[in-house]
């Protein structure tokens, strides 16, 4: 005895409508079922590989945390930045390093301090980048009129002084406090 059930469903792989003969049918064809199985298998393998890499990296970072002195490669893994960035920090005297033969070593306490300084500077930059509100900002045209400068001069000054510009809607704003301080104008805040 066969069933006369006909249910309109949507294939979970290709999203096409089809008529199913059972309640449990999920795919419109054997091909879609096979492709879905292969995709799930590949995703599971990728996830397992990612978890394994993560475990190895965490173990490596844990091991590096126990050492007193780290090489440049080990320090870059420990902090999570490139070797070149570490060399730049050493040349700018932000990080103390010592040489033993041809190898460069950094003390772990210096690396932890450098890492904390990096984190603090990133959070400070994020705090500075927050939009201060329209009432506390000039549009570019308002700033040009108020300070009697051309558009190219204003943009050049903002770029040289590192003053942030905020895109909000169709206008570009700068903080009043930054421009007032730059052009030596008393603010009315």
């Amino acid at each position: 005895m066969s069933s006369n059930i006909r249910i309109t469903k949507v294939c979970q792989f290709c999203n096409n409508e089809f008529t199913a003969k059972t309640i449990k049918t999920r795919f419109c064809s054997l091909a879609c079922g096979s492709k879905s199985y292969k995709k799930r298998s590949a995703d599971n393998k990728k996830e397992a590989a990612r978890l394994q890499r993560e475990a190895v990296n965490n173990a490596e970072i844990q091991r590096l945390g126990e050492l007193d002195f780290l090489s440049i490669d080990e320090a870059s893994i420990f902090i999570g930045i490139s070797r070149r960035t570490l060399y730049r920090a050493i040349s700018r005297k932000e990080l103390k390093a010592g040489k033993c033969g041809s190898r460069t070593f950094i003390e772990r306490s210096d690396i932890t301090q450098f890492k904390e300084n990096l984190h603090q500077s990133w959070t400070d930059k994020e705090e500075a980048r927050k939009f201060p509100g329209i009432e506390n900002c000039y549009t570019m045209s308002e700033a040009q009129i108020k300070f009697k400068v051309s558009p190219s001069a204003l943009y050049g000054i903002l770029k040289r002084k590192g003053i942030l510009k905020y895109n909000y809607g169709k206008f570009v704003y700068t903080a009043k406090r930054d421009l007032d301080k730059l052009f030596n104008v008393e603010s009315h805040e």
Side-chain angles (χ1 to χ4, degrees), residues 7 9 18 20 22 25 51 60 66-67 77 100 107 118 125 129 135 144-145 150 162 172 178 188:
I7 303 170
K9 287 189 155 193
F18 69 98
T22 66
T25 305
L51 291 174
E60 180 71 10
E66 297 169 358
L67 298 175
I77 292 170
C100 181
E107 195 171 349
L118 273 179
K125 285 180 184 175
R129 290 189 186 280
E135 63 278 353
Q144 292 166 18
I145 292 167
S150 69
V172 177
D178 294 337
H188 301 290

Side-chain angles (χ1 to χ4, degrees), residues 54-126:
E54 211 171 83
V56 168
N57 287 343
N58 289 340
E60 180 71 10
I61 290 173
Q62 185 73 24
R63 183 189 69 80
L64 293 176
E66 297 169 358
L67 298 175
D68 291 333
F69 293 94
L70 301 170
S71 69
I72 293 293
D73 289 334
E74 292 169 338
S76 68
I77 292 170
F78 185 69
I79 297 176
I81 58 177
S82 71
R83 295 174 66 231
R84 183 68 192 124
T85 304
L86 279 175
Y87 279 120
R88 280 195 298 266
I90 291 169
S91 68
R92 288 191 306 255
K93 307 275 192 252
E94 296 173 0
L95 191 59
K96 291 186 275 183
K99 297 279 264 182
C100 181
S102 62
R103 296 193 63 191
T104 304
F105 289 97
I106 306 168
E107 195 171 349
R108 186 173 42 86
S109 61
D110 292 338
I111 291 173
T112 358
Q113 182 64 36
F114 178 71
K115 191 175 180 180
E116 289 170 6
N117 291 345
L118 273 179
H119 180 69
Q120 184 62 37
S121 69
W122 287 334
T123 53
D124 289 347
K125 285 180 184 175
E126 286 302 314

Side-chain angles (χ1 to χ4, degrees), residues 99-188:
K99 297 279 264 182
C100 181
S102 62
R103 296 193 63 191
T104 304
F105 289 97
I106 306 168
E107 195 171 349
R108 186 173 42 86
S109 61
D110 292 338
I111 291 173
T112 358
Q113 182 64 36
F114 178 71
K115 191 175 180 180
E116 289 170 6
N117 291 345
L118 273 179
H119 180 69
Q120 184 62 37
S121 69
W122 287 334
T123 53
D124 289 347
K125 285 180 184 175
E126 286 302 314
E127 190 65 34
R129 290 189 186 280
K130 288 184 180 172
F131 186 62
I134 293 176
E135 63 278 353
N136 297 325
C137 291
Y138 293 121
T139 63
M140 289 293 115
S141 57
E142 289 173 347
Q144 292 166 18
I145 292 167
K146 180 167 181 159
F147 301 114
K148 297 179 178 69
V149 293
S150 69
S152 60
L154 182 61
Y155 278 99
I157 291 168
L158 294 177
K159 187 174 183 179
R160 280 193 305 276
K161 298 296 183 181
I163 296 175
L164 293 175
K165 298 179 296 213
Y166 306 97
N167 291 326
Y168 187 76
K170 64 179 183 175
F171 296 105
V172 177
Y173 296 93
T174 58
K176 286 182 180 179
R177 67 183 185 297
D178 294 337
L179 286 180
D180 290 343
K181 186 172 26 170
L182 180 68
F183 288 104
N184 294 323
V185 175
E186 279 190 38
S187 72
H188 301 290

